[in-house]
Amino acid sequence: MNYDITICTVCTQDFEILNKNISHIEKNNEINIDWLITINQYFSHKENNLKSKSNIKYLKGFPSGEIESIALDHGIGLNKTINLIKTRYVIFLDPDFFILKKNLIKEVLKYMEIKDLSFF
């Protein structure tokens, strides 16, 4: 079975970690991935020259300190992605949370399908 999934995340001055995470997930998972990344800082696209086989869409978030709450900045950034999700499955993932086991996403999705789960 081939799965499609969207991974939503928020990036605030941690492009290097985020790029490592995207590369690692792509290398270790045999699924189609759309990324929705809210950028919570002033940025230019040249800062983010990621070679990726995934579909990546960047959303404008809030410059650091504009709301005065990192947690609120992050939560609002994730909420901005919700209306753009086009896949059946979605993961809300912090940029520094790495999925290390090979094909773990596919295993979890298969398990969810077998058990008829809508939330894991």
Side-chain angles (χ1 to χ4, degrees):
M1 164 93 24
N2 193 18
Y3 294 101
D4 295 326
I5 192 165
T6 301
I7 299 178
C8 301
T9 193
V10 177
C11 183
T12 306
Q13 300 176 355
D14 45 10
F15 283 105
E16 186 176 333
I17 291 171
L18 177 62
N19 289 343
K20 285 180 183 178
N21 202 350
I22 291 170
S23 296
H24 181 77
I25 287 174
E26 286 183 346
K27 180 175 67 178
N28 289 305
N29 289 281
E30 299 167 358
I31 55 175
N32 299 318
I33 301 171
D34 290 340
W35 286 82
L36 295 173
I37 303 170
T38 302
I39 306 298
N40 273 351
Q41 69 175 40
Y42 297 109
F43 95 148
S44 67
H45 286 284
K46 65 182 171 182
E47 287 180 61
N48 221 355
N49 290 330
L50 178 65
K51 302 275 190 273
S52 172
K53 64 181 180 180
S54 298
N55 178 30
I56 298 177
K57 179 172 177 115
Y58 298 99
L59 307 170
K60 184 178 180 191
F62 299 96
S64 295
E66 186 170 304
I67 295 177
E68 300 297 332
S69 169
I70 293 170
L72 188 55
D73 284 349
H74 187 81
I76 292 170
L78 288 175
N79 280 333
K80 290 184 94 162
T81 66
I82 292 172
N83 291 333
L84 299 172
I85 297 166
K86 305 275 190 254
T87 58
R88 178 177 178 188
Y89 300 103
V90 62
I91 296 174
F92 292 93
L93 187 72
D94 282 355
D96 59 352
F97 184 86
F98 289 84
I99 299 172
L100 299 175
K101 183 178 178 193
K102 186 174 176 79
N103 282 317
L104 178 65
I105 296 172
K106 188 173 183 176
E107 287 179 28
V108 170
L109 296 179
K110 186 185 276 188
Y111 176 82
M112 289 176 68
E113 190 172 72
I114 290 167
K115 298 292 186 180
D116 197 26
L117 299 175
S118 58
F119 182 83
F120 183 83

